[in-house]
Amino acid sequence: MKAPDSIEIAKAPYLSKSVVEANLTKKGGGLGFCMEFLVKRGCEAAEAKEWDTFRAILALSIYGIMMFSNVPNFIDMNAIHMFILQNPVPTLLGDVYHSIHHKSSQKGGLVRFCAPLLYRWFRSHFPERGAFVDNRHTSKWAERIMGLRAKDIVWHNRSLDDMEVIMSCGKFKNVSLMGLRGGINYNPVLARRTFGYAFISPPKQTEIAENIFYHSATDGGLMAEAVQAWKSICWRDKKHFGQRDCATYEDYTKWVESVVVVRGMPFLPKDPLYPPAGEQPNIGSMPRYNQTVDQNRKLTEQVETMHVKMNTARQEKLSALHKLKIREIELEELYARGSTSQKRPRMTIGAKPTETQEKKLKEH
């Protein structure tokens, strides 16, 4: 990354060019601001009620101390650059994943950056009820996670239904994230259940290949290749994944079990992840579910059509009775004008007239 000049740096925290140049200090092999200077300038901005400056300095301090920490109490140029770009997520993810991988490959050690903040974020995604909370056999959340089953997890977030997903970049079959200290890939194919698509078979090895590289001469040019790959992003939507499916398939589950053994993951489950034959849970596939929904829709439409026809027939019947009533009144008037000595017998609506009534109607 090309380092920003003093003019670009000055614009971000609302400082003058001269103040920036006077306070840029070299520490840990690079330029940056000492935390003492930013705290002093932030307090001055708060006293003068220069809130835009205060908020910018506070945010820059968070970038340098909590998110992209390198030298203690020092905000280096990498953190300043990330602050100016205003999109720390790709770099932050790359650094977090890279740090977790680096520490997990060693014996012991803490994750770099703000470990309590990362832990807090991680815990915020744990279930608040159900099997994870009800498991009283252990107080360790790692063991509780390994004890969860497919039925205990909400796999599909419906807010993601119409979203496009980055599945790969350039020549890489997965996605490379570049942090400040190195790069690491993540595999979107393993998150397909989040979008409502089940695994029928194991993923291809090329889709989950591991790429770890560092900012050094030994990375084999992978960092430069990852940068170029981001210029050719491969997006995928529901047309690529096909029908949504909530079922669990044995081939994929067996592959997961084999990975657990190879990786040496602890807390192996006591019960099988996939139920044996004859003990399948009552879970239907998504195509079957869609077929049932379509049948219910057609039946609902048929019922509504029958109701419309019944209402139409009822209206026609009422209209016919109304016309018959009007005709009877007209006949009464004609009878009254033709003979006043005797009354014409009243007909009952809907009843068949007698022979005498038909004869009198014909006379009039």
Side-chain angles (χ1 to χ4, degrees):
M1 295 184 296
K2 182 181 178 181
D5 56 29
S6 56
I7 297 178
E8 292 177 302
I9 297 173
K11 290 179 181 179
Y14 300 96
L15 301 174
S16 65
K17 180 175 177 291
S18 59
V19 170
V20 169
E21 292 176 346
N23 289 278
L24 277 176
T25 306
K26 192 170 184 179
K27 192 174 181 181
L31 289 174
F33 292 122
C34 289
M35 189 63 189
E36 182 180 358
F37 159 70
L38 290 181
V39 171
K40 180 181 178 181
R41 185 66 188 90
C43 292
E44 292 174 353
E47 292 177 0
K49 296 185 178 180
E50 298 173 352
W51 301 118
D52 288 340
T53 302
F54 173 78
R55 283 190 288 265
I57 292 176
L58 177 62
L60 177 58
S61 301
I62 293 174
Y63 269 61
I65 300 301
M66 297 183 66
M67 297 172 67
F68 302 107
S69 177
N70 189 23
V71 180
N73 297 319
F74 188 75
I75 289 81
D76 65 11
M77 193 57 67
N78 287 327
I80 295 173
H81 197 181
M82 289 298 104
F83 178 74
I84 293 174
L85 293 176
Q86 297 183 356
N87 184 16
V89 175
T91 305
L92 185 60
L93 286 175
D95 278 342
V96 169
Y97 289 166
H98 193 281
S99 179
I100 292 175
H101 179 273
H102 181 66
K103 291 301 178 183
S104 63
S105 62
Q106 299 178 356
K107 292 184 178 180
L110 292 175
V111 177
R112 293 180 66 93
F113 317 111
C114 187
L117 180 62
L118 177 62
Y119 177 78
R120 185 72 176 177
W121 171 83
F122 190 53
R123 286 296 301 268
S124 69
H125 288 74
F126 287 174
E128 296 181 357
R129 60 179 182 272
F132 178 79
V133 179
D134 296 337
N135 187 355
R136 306 298 181 186
H137 300 292
T138 177
S139 59
K140 297 180 180 180
W141 52 261
E143 294 182 10
R144 292 190 179 190
I145 290 177
M146 295 303 295
L148 294 176
R149 297 294 176 269
K151 62 183 180 62
D152 301 321
I153 302 172
V154 179
W155 294 98
H156 178 212
N157 186 347
R158 291 192 175 274
S159 65
L160 305 177
D161 280 355
D162 297 322
M163 293 183 63
E164 290 185 318
V165 185
I166 297 178
M167 294 300 296
S168 62
C169 293
K171 74 170 192 176
F172 298 96
K173 296 300 182 182
N174 42 34
V175 178
S176 296
L177 296 174
M178 293 162 287
L180 298 180
R181 297 161 187 83
I184 188 172
N185 65 288
Y186 81 96
N187 307 313
V189 67
L190 296 179
R192 60 182 294 158
R193 292 204 73 167
T194 305
F195 300 93
Y197 306 98
F199 285 97
I200 299 177
S201 58
K204 298 178 181 178
Q205 188 60 35
T206 55
E207 297 175 325
I208 58 174
E210 188 177 80
N211 294 313
I212 309 294
F213 45 92
Y214 299 87
H215 283 293
S216 63
T218 60
D219 70 353
L222 280 176
M223 180 62 76
E225 293 179 2
V227 172
Q228 293 298 319
W230 273 96
K231 297 179 181 180
S232 180
I233 300 175
C234 179
W235 297 87
R236 290 287 183 262
D237 57 13
K238 57 186 178 183
K239 294 180 181 178
H240 170 77
F241 295 107
Q243 289 280 353
R244 281 195 163 84
D245 193 345
C246 63
T248 304
Y249 293 90
E250 187 173 8
D251 288 344
Y252 173 75
T253 308
K254 286 184 176 179
W255 174 79
V256 173
E257 292 174 339
S258 67
V259 172
V260 170
V261 174
V262 172
R263 296 290 184 180
M265 297 175 67
F267 321 121
L268 291 176
K270 297 180 181 179
D271 302 323
L273 292 173
Y274 191 86
E279 299 181 16
Q280 298 288 349
N282 188 19
I283 300 177
S285 65
M286 204 62 183
R288 177 58 181 168
Y289 169 78
N290 291 333
Q291 181 182 1
T292 303
V293 170
D294 187 58
Q295 291 176 348
N296 289 339
R297 179 183 57 79
K298 291 180 179 179
L299 289 174
T300 302
E301 291 177 353
Q302 292 177 3
V303 171
E304 292 176 351
T305 301
M306 291 177 61
H307 280 297
V308 170
K309 290 181 178 180
M310 288 175 59
N311 290 332
T312 301
R314 188 179 293 110
Q315 292 295 329
E316 291 176 351
K317 178 181 178 181
L318 293 175
S319 177
L321 292 174
H322 180 67
K323 291 179 180 179
L324 183 59
K325 182 66 176 178
I326 293 176
R327 181 58 178 166
E328 184 180 356
I329 294 173
E330 292 175 349
L331 292 175
E332 288 282 359
E333 293 176 352
L334 289 173
Y335 184 83
R337 286 198 300 268
S339 174
T340 57
S341 59
Q342 54 182 329
K343 296 237 177 182
R344 173 181 174 270
R346 181 176 291 274
M347 291 175 56
T348 302
I349 295 178
K352 184 178 179 181
T354 63
E355 294 181 1
T356 305
Q357 290 174 337
E358 287 183 352
K359 182 177 179 181
K360 290 184 178 181
L361 286 175
K362 291 179 180 179
E363 293 175 352
H364 289 83

